[in-house]
mmCIF file of all heavy atoms in Angstrom:
data_model
loop_
_atom_site.group_PDB
_atom_site.id
_atom_site.type_symbol
_atom_site.label_atom_id
_atom_site.label_comp_id
_atom_site.label_asym_id
_atom_site.label_seq_id
_atom_site.Cartn_x
_atom_site.Cartn_y
_atom_site.Cartn_z
ATOM 1 N N THR S 22 21.997 -16.810 2.547
ATOM 2 C CA THR S 22 23.144 -17.478 1.937
ATOM 3 C C THR S 22 23.359 -18.889 2.485
ATOM 4 O O THR S 22 23.988 -19.708 1.832
ATOM 5 C CB THR S 22 24.434 -16.668 2.133
ATOM 6 O OG1 THR S 22 24.714 -16.536 3.525
ATOM 7 C CG2 THR S 22 24.310 -15.292 1.495
ATOM 8 N N ASP S 23 22.831 -19.182 3.667
ATOM 9 C CA ASP S 23 22.996 -20.518 4.248
ATOM 10 C C ASP S 23 22.234 -21.588 3.473
ATOM 11 O O ASP S 23 22.551 -22.765 3.572
ATOM 12 C CB ASP S 23 22.546 -20.528 5.712
ATOM 13 C CG ASP S 23 23.414 -19.638 6.578
ATOM 14 O OD1 ASP S 23 24.588 -19.402 6.211
ATOM 15 O OD2 ASP S 23 22.914 -19.145 7.609
ATOM 16 N N THR S 24 21.240 -21.177 2.697
ATOM 17 C CA THR S 24 20.451 -22.144 1.931
ATOM 18 C C THR S 24 20.846 -22.166 0.458
ATOM 19 O O THR S 24 20.238 -22.898 -0.323
ATOM 20 C CB THR S 24 18.944 -21.836 2.051
ATOM 21 O OG1 THR S 24 18.699 -20.543 1.501
ATOM 22 C CG2 THR S 24 18.497 -21.877 3.510
ATOM 23 N N CYS S 25 21.840 -21.384 0.073
ATOM 24 C CA CYS S 25 22.290 -21.339 -1.322
ATOM 25 C C CYS S 25 23.235 -22.498 -1.616
ATOM 26 O O CYS S 25 23.895 -23.026 -0.729
ATOM 27 C CB CYS S 25 22.999 -20.023 -1.609
ATOM 28 S SG CYS S 25 21.909 -18.612 -1.534
ATOM 29 N N SER S 26 23.325 -22.835 -2.895
ATOM 30 C CA SER S 26 24.196 -23.943 -3.294
ATOM 31 C C SER S 26 25.671 -23.540 -3.353
ATOM 32 O O SER S 26 26.536 -24.402 -3.477
ATOM 33 C CB SER S 26 23.759 -24.476 -4.659
ATOM 34 O OG SER S 26 23.878 -23.454 -5.631
ATOM 35 N N ASP S 27 25.969 -22.262 -3.260
ATOM 36 C CA ASP S 27 27.353 -21.785 -3.369
ATOM 37 C C ASP S 27 27.726 -20.815 -2.238
ATOM 38 O O ASP S 27 28.076 -19.664 -2.498
ATOM 39 C CB ASP S 27 27.576 -21.135 -4.726
ATOM 40 C CG ASP S 27 26.567 -20.042 -5.023
ATOM 41 O OD1 ASP S 27 25.633 -19.851 -4.216
ATOM 42 O OD2 ASP S 27 26.723 -19.367 -6.052
ATOM 43 N N PRO S 28 27.682 -21.263 -0.987
ATOM 44 C CA PRO S 28 27.962 -20.346 0.136
ATOM 45 C C PRO S 28 29.370 -19.751 0.102
ATOM 46 O O PRO S 28 29.575 -18.635 0.578
ATOM 47 C CB PRO S 28 27.737 -21.202 1.378
ATOM 48 C CG PRO S 28 27.831 -22.604 0.913
ATOM 49 C CD PRO S 28 27.400 -22.608 -0.524
ATOM 50 N N ASP S 29 30.334 -20.465 -0.472
ATOM 51 C CA ASP S 29 31.695 -19.919 -0.536
ATOM 52 C C ASP S 29 31.763 -18.705 -1.459
ATOM 53 O O ASP S 29 32.474 -17.736 -1.165
ATOM 54 C CB ASP S 29 32.687 -20.988 -1.001
ATOM 55 C CG ASP S 29 32.881 -22.083 0.037
ATOM 56 O OD1 ASP S 29 32.601 -21.837 1.232
ATOM 57 O OD2 ASP S 29 33.303 -23.189 -0.345
ATOM 58 N N ASP S 30 31.017 -18.741 -2.569
ATOM 59 C CA ASP S 30 30.987 -17.581 -3.464
ATOM 60 C C ASP S 30 30.363 -16.375 -2.768
ATOM 61 O O ASP S 30 30.817 -15.247 -2.934
ATOM 62 C CB ASP S 30 30.203 -17.904 -4.732
ATOM 63 C CG ASP S 30 30.939 -18.860 -5.656
ATOM 64 O OD1 ASP S 30 32.162 -19.025 -5.501
ATOM 65 O OD2 ASP S 30 30.279 -19.443 -6.535
ATOM 66 N N TRP S 31 29.310 -16.641 -1.989
ATOM 67 C CA TRP S 31 28.676 -15.553 -1.237
ATOM 68 C C TRP S 31 29.633 -14.999 -0.192
ATOM 69 O O TRP S 31 29.705 -13.783 0.008
ATOM 70 C CB TRP S 31 27.378 -16.022 -0.581
ATOM 71 C CG TRP S 31 26.262 -16.083 -1.556
ATOM 72 C CD1 TRP S 31 25.768 -17.186 -2.182
ATOM 73 C CD2 TRP S 31 25.519 -14.983 -2.060
ATOM 74 N NE1 TRP S 31 24.765 -16.838 -3.033
ATOM 75 C CE2 TRP S 31 24.580 -15.489 -2.983
ATOM 76 C CE3 TRP S 31 25.539 -13.619 -1.822
ATOM 77 C CZ2 TRP S 31 23.678 -14.680 -3.662
ATOM 78 C CZ3 TRP S 31 24.636 -12.806 -2.500
ATOM 79 C CH2 TRP S 31 23.728 -13.337 -3.404
ATOM 80 N N ARG S 81 23.395 -9.490 -7.597
ATOM 81 C CA ARG S 81 23.270 -10.930 -7.336
ATOM 82 C C ARG S 81 22.054 -11.243 -6.485
ATOM 83 O O ARG S 81 21.347 -12.217 -6.743
ATOM 84 C CB ARG S 81 24.542 -11.440 -6.678
ATOM 85 C CG ARG S 81 24.531 -12.929 -6.562
ATOM 86 C CD ARG S 81 25.873 -13.539 -6.563
ATOM 87 N NE ARG S 81 25.723 -14.979 -6.453
ATOM 88 C CZ ARG S 81 26.630 -15.767 -5.940
ATOM 89 N NH1 ARG S 81 27.782 -15.269 -5.532
ATOM 90 N NH2 ARG S 81 26.429 -17.064 -5.862
ATOM 91 N N GLU S 85 19.048 -13.700 -7.693
ATOM 92 C CA GLU S 85 18.877 -14.996 -7.026
ATOM 93 C C GLU S 85 17.939 -14.965 -5.833
ATOM 94 O O GLU S 85 17.513 -16.013 -5.362
ATOM 95 C CB GLU S 85 20.254 -15.513 -6.563
ATOM 96 C CG GLU S 85 21.204 -15.784 -7.707
ATOM 97 C CD GLU S 85 22.546 -16.329 -7.239
ATOM 98 O OE1 GLU S 85 22.585 -17.022 -6.199
ATOM 99 O OE2 GLU S 85 23.547 -16.048 -7.921
#
Side-chain angles (χ1 to χ4, degrees):
T22 61
D23 296 335
T24 62
C25 293
S26 61
D27 54 355
D29 291 338
D30 289 343
W31 282 101
R81 188 152 180 206
E85 297 182 30

